[in-house]
Amino acid sequence: MADTVRFSSPRDLIGREGAALGTSDWVLIDQDRVNKFAQATGDFQWIHVDVEKAKAGPFGATIAHGYLTLSMVAFFQPQIVDVGPMRMGVNVGTDKVRFLSPVKVGSRIRAKGELLKAQETPDGGIQATMKVTIEIEGSDKPACIAEAVSRYYP
């Protein structure tokens, strides 16, 4: 079960830089999810979608697209942090992103987070940068580390 860190308001993020955020639930990355991502993006490279060819390839199996792994940040973020009542939250984007290890189809991944920065914005929001590390079950090396930038409006 996810271990969610809760903040009672967006303003409570300010001054909490370095705070550990929670850990999400594990999620299975199966071939159907990878195929649907390929369909959505038009990226049909064989290392993602050709199961037979990929068995003889460099990873021994099909792997998730790096951007599929990164896109899971949007799924994991509400599990690792809950920011109290707000009118809305906006995904501003990402700063540094690194893909450190491929996610083989059939693997499970999860995320953990750390609050890197939080500041008030001119339009009254609170902008937070969170380091999100996507782990692969059974691996010492993470799949992806990204600095996700979100803006919360109280």
Side-chain angles (χ1 to χ4, degrees), residues 20 23 33 44 117:
T23 303
R33 184 185 300 260
F44 295 99
K117 187 161 103 175

Side-chain angles (χ1 to χ4, degrees), residues 31 34-35 38 43-66 102-105:
Q31 192 63 54
V34 171
N35 291 346
D43 181 352
F44 295 99
Q45 187 174 165
W46 63 270
I47 61 173
H48 305 303
V49 298
D50 189 331
V51 174
E52 290 308 310
K53 187 173 181 179
K55 284 179 185 176
F59 307 109
T62 48
I63 60 169
H65 303 74
V103 177
K104 290 183 182 181
V105 168

Side-chain angles (χ1 to χ4, degrees), residues 24-96:
S24 74
D25 292 327
W26 290 105
V27 172
L28 176 68
I29 301 300
D30 60 15
Q31 192 63 54
D32 184 56
R33 184 185 300 260
V34 171
N35 291 346
K36 286 177 179 171
F37 190 84
Q39 202 54 253
T41 62
D43 181 352
F44 295 99
Q45 187 174 165
W46 63 270
I47 61 173
H48 305 303
V49 298
D50 189 331
V51 174
E52 290 308 310
K53 187 173 181 179
K55 284 179 185 176
F59 307 109
T62 48
I63 60 169
H65 303 74
Y67 285 113
L68 167 57
T69 303
L70 177 62
S71 75
M72 294 299 290
V73 169
F75 175 78
F76 290 134
Q77 217 166 3
Q79 293 182 43
I80 65 176
V81 65
D82 176 24
V83 179
M86 64 176 147
R87 287 183 292 121
M88 71 175 171
V90 177
N91 173 2
V92 176
T94 52
D95 286 341
K96 297 177 187 174

Side-chain angles (χ1 to χ4, degrees), residues 81-139:
V81 65
D82 176 24
V83 179
M86 64 176 147
R87 287 183 292 121
M88 71 175 171
V90 177
N91 173 2
V92 176
T94 52
D95 286 341
K96 297 177 187 174
V97 176
R98 295 292 178 263
F99 300 111
L100 303 169
S101 187
V103 177
K104 290 183 182 181
V105 168
S107 298
R108 294 191 330 157
I109 62 173
R110 71 175 180 186
K112 56 175 51 172
E114 176 188 349
L115 181 62
L116 297 179
K117 187 161 103 175
Q119 61 193 40
E120 192 160 352
T121 61
D123 62 356
I126 303 297
Q127 186 160 300
T129 302
M130 299 174 195
K131 177 181 174 184
V132 179
T133 301
I134 298 180
E135 303 175 324
I136 304 168
E137 189 174 39
S139 176

